[in-house]
Amino acid sequence: MIEPIFASWKHVFKLDPDREINDEALDAVCMSGTDAIMVGGSSGVTFDNTVDLLSRIRRYEVPCALEVTSEEAAVPGFDYYLIPMVLNSRDPQWLVGRQVEAIRQFGSYIPWENTFAEGYIILNADAEAARRSDADARLDDLSVLAYVRLADRLMRMPIVYLEYSGRFGNMGLVRRARSLLTQGRLFYGGGIDSAEKAGEAAAAADTVIVGNIIYSDLAAALKTVQAVKQREN
Amino acid sequence: MIEPIFASWKHVFKLDPDREINDEALDAVCMSGTDAIMVGGSSGVTFDNTVDLLSRIRRYEVPCALEVTSEEAAVPGFDYYLIPMVLNSRDPQWLVGRQVEAIRQFGSYIPWENTFAEGYIILNADAEAARRSDADARLDDLSVLAYVRLADRLMRMPIVYLEYSGRFGNMGLVRRARSLLTQGRLFYGGGIDSAEKAGEAAAAADTVIVGNIIYSDLAAALKTVQAVKQREN
């Protein structure tokens, strides 16, 4: 049982509301042929900068998902809402606590039909995301694969997200993770700064997330779209 | 999407491998008309006492599920394996940690087609189960309902288990919890020591679990079966 919407996403650009992007660059990103734009960041995300970025993306037809990392920035009007749950956090607040608090607060206003959990496994111990969520990122391969099965089989999560955040990951491990999934879709993110790496990631994961490089080398970022789309996986 | 096997369970007897039950009593339990026997306990469960109890239950046709609380007692031969995940634990070991460790160890030997997660919400702070799992059991109603939605909507768990362990719970809250479920099934356990309470619980939950009273008042335990089955919910 794969969610139809994710089944068609091979390439996703991730935009951070807390970082500047001019209209020309945003136009290039939205018209690039990417399958979706994901809006989210690990710090400085507010209602105002999120609604501002959404309104600019909305001039284009590309589907737009919000990765909800703070209650205050839960802006209406996105096509999809993705709720990260950090499976390898040492602090249950990052696994279920903050999510329960948000559900408690927003209750019936949550657009459940368009809301999906992402089972995050954070694998770069040096990344800001790992520090903030107190993730046990120094896992051996067997433990990573056990987390993947837990997310897919027991928690039946529609998205299992291997996050190397800023570092290009172990594609052999990513490929093995994907081979274990029975219903979820494997998202990969981290260190994709060239068409070549994008192609490698596309051969290993179901969906490739490209983020930081948008802000440092837009031309290289745009090349990742075709690199992913051409790759049969 | 309700798992067909759980959809037909209204009454379940829970037997503890660490407690004595003679052949006559076990015969009465297995022939009572209950929909399933669940084997599990919070302490003293071993491979030997689990396999012994299973072999005795296997003389009967009643379906038999193991609630897996320790790796050592994961005995083959049950119809179903239920994996508790304590959603309101303060310690991620009880939520995902021990489960990941077990998956890491047993890997491909796990009979996934017959293995299902139970999203436990433990609501009696004085119970042994709450102490052992370091559960934050003093939740207000809105928080309980938020955990229920988290389990059903985000984690898509097939079983959401409200556990009052030794105390009869708030049936109004149990009923509200059930009304929120979209795919999972609501299990209720705790303090059912009479036909009357069993009937009340059956009117509020999808599935009623009867445990302790088997060991202290078998006749009363047996009466809960008809009380649950007669109740339309």
Side-chain angles (χ1 to χ4, degrees):
Chain A
M1 176 197 60
I2 291 173
E3 303 298 329
I5 53 167
F6 307 124
S8 66
W9 291 3
K10 297 185 82 170
H11 182 283
V12 172
F13 273 131
K14 194 174 205 167
L15 292 175
D16 185 339
D18 194 35
R19 295 173 86 167
E20 295 285 333
I21 184 166
N22 66 37
D23 285 343
E24 191 180 359
L26 188 66
D27 181 81
V29 165
C30 290
M31 299 296 287
S32 65
T34 187
D35 297 307
I37 307 285
M38 192 186 292
V39 170
S42 45
S43 65
V45 178
T46 66
F47 190 91
D48 285 347
N49 62 23
T50 302
V51 83
D52 178 62
L53 183 56
L54 173 63
S55 66
R56 293 172 66 203
I57 297 169
R58 271 290 179 241
R59 297 173 195 154
Y60 303 90
E61 291 185 4
V62 64
C64 192
L66 179 65
E67 192 165 61
V68 186
T69 49
S70 81
E71 296 170 33
E72 304 81 52
V75 171
F78 282 86
D79 298 311
Y80 307 109
Y81 294 86
L82 305 179
I83 314 295
M85 302 172 76
V86 182
L87 301 178
N88 60 329
S89 175
R90 296 182 189 89
D91 179 355
Q93 284 299 309
W94 288 91
L95 218 174
V96 299
R98 293 157 54 97
Q99 295 79 354
V100 163
E101 190 47 47
I103 295 171
R104 188 184 190 289
Q105 187 172 328
F106 290 108
S108 303
Y109 295 100
I110 296 172
W112 288 111
E113 298 306 315
N114 302 323
T115 299
F116 302 93
E118 298 174 304
Y120 259 86
I121 305 164
I122 299 182
L123 295 171
N124 178 359
D126 300 324
E128 168 69 10
R131 277 192 299 271
R132 284 199 76 212
S133 64
D134 196 14
D136 178 17
R138 302 186 199 282
L139 300 173
D140 64 18
D141 289 4
L142 285 179
S143 293
V144 172
L145 299 175
Y147 272 107
V148 167
R149 279 181 152 147
L150 176 102
D152 177 62
R153 293 279 199 169
L154 292 185
M155 301 166 86
R156 304 198 295 196
M157 290 180 144
I159 297 167
V160 181
Y161 198 136
L162 294 186
E163 174 62 275
Y164 283 83
S165 195
R167 196 181 76 200
F168 194 62
N170 174 346
M171 289 303 125
L173 180 59
V174 173
R175 192 176 292 108
R176 286 169 68 196
R178 189 187 57 187
S179 74
L180 294 180
L181 295 185
T182 60
Q183 56 80 38
R185 189 161 173 90
L186 196 77
F187 280 29
Y188 169 81
I192 297 180
D193 55 12
S194 67
E196 188 188 353
K197 284 183 185 156
E200 283 180 52
D206 292 315
T207 301
V208 174
I209 315 291
V210 178
N212 287 331
I213 191 70
I214 299 167
Y215 298 95
S216 56
D217 185 347
L218 181 61
L222 295 173
K223 284 180 189 156
T224 64
V225 179
Q226 280 313 309
V228 166
K229 298 262 177 166
Q230 281 163 5
R231 195 73 175 231
E232 276 301 320
N233 63 14
Chain B
M1 179 199 57
I2 292 175
E3 303 298 329
I5 52 165
F6 307 124
S8 66
W9 291 2
K10 298 186 83 171
H11 183 284
V12 172
F13 274 130
K14 195 174 204 165
L15 292 176
D16 185 340
D18 194 34
R19 295 172 85 167
E20 294 286 332
I21 184 166
N22 65 37
D23 286 343
E24 192 180 357
L26 187 66
D27 182 80
V29 165
C30 291
M31 298 297 286
S32 65
T34 188
D35 297 308
I37 307 284
M38 192 185 292
V39 170
S42 43
S43 64
V45 179
T46 65
F47 189 91
D48 286 346
N49 62 23
T50 302
V51 83
D52 178 62
L53 184 54
L54 173 64
S55 67
R56 293 172 65 204
I57 297 169
R58 271 290 179 242
R59 297 174 196 154
Y60 303 90
E61 290 186 3
V62 64
C64 193
L66 179 65
E67 193 166 58
V68 186
T69 49
S70 80
E71 294 169 35
E72 303 81 50
V75 171
F78 283 85
D79 298 311
Y80 307 109
Y81 294 86
L82 306 179
I83 314 294
M85 302 173 75
V86 182
L87 301 178
N88 61 330
S89 175
R90 297 182 189 88
D91 179 354
Q93 283 300 309
W94 289 91
L95 219 172
V96 299
R98 292 158 53 98
Q99 295 80 352
V100 163
E101 191 47 47
I103 295 171
R104 188 185 190 289
Q105 188 172 328
F106 290 108
S108 303
Y109 295 100
I110 295 173
W112 287 111
E113 298 306 316
N114 302 323
T115 299
F116 301 93
E118 299 174 303
Y120 259 86
I121 305 165
I122 298 181
L123 294 171
N124 178 0
D126 300 325
E128 168 69 9
R131 278 192 298 271
R132 283 199 77 213
S133 64
D134 196 14
D136 177 17
R138 302 186 199 284
L139 300 174
D140 64 16
D141 289 4
L142 285 179
S143 292
V144 173
L145 298 174
Y147 272 107
V148 167
R149 278 180 151 147
L150 176 101
D152 177 63
R153 294 278 201 170
L154 291 186
M155 298 164 88
R156 305 200 294 197
M157 289 181 146
I159 297 167
V160 181
Y161 198 136
L162 295 187
E163 174 62 274
Y164 282 83
S165 194
R167 196 180 77 199
F168 194 62
N170 174 347
M171 289 303 126
L173 180 59
V174 174
R175 194 177 290 107
R176 286 168 69 197
R178 189 186 57 185
S179 74
L180 293 180
L181 295 186
T182 59
Q183 57 80 37
R185 188 161 174 91
L186 196 78
F187 279 29
Y188 169 80
I192 297 179
D193 55 12
S194 68
E196 189 189 352
K197 282 181 187 157
E200 285 180 51
D206 292 315
T207 302
V208 175
I209 316 293
V210 178
N212 287 331
I213 191 69
I214 299 167
Y215 299 94
S216 57
D217 185 346
L218 180 62
L222 295 172
K223 284 180 189 155
T224 64
V225 179
Q226 281 311 308
V228 166
K229 297 260 176 166
Q230 282 164 5
R231 196 73 175 233
E232 277 299 320
N233 63 12

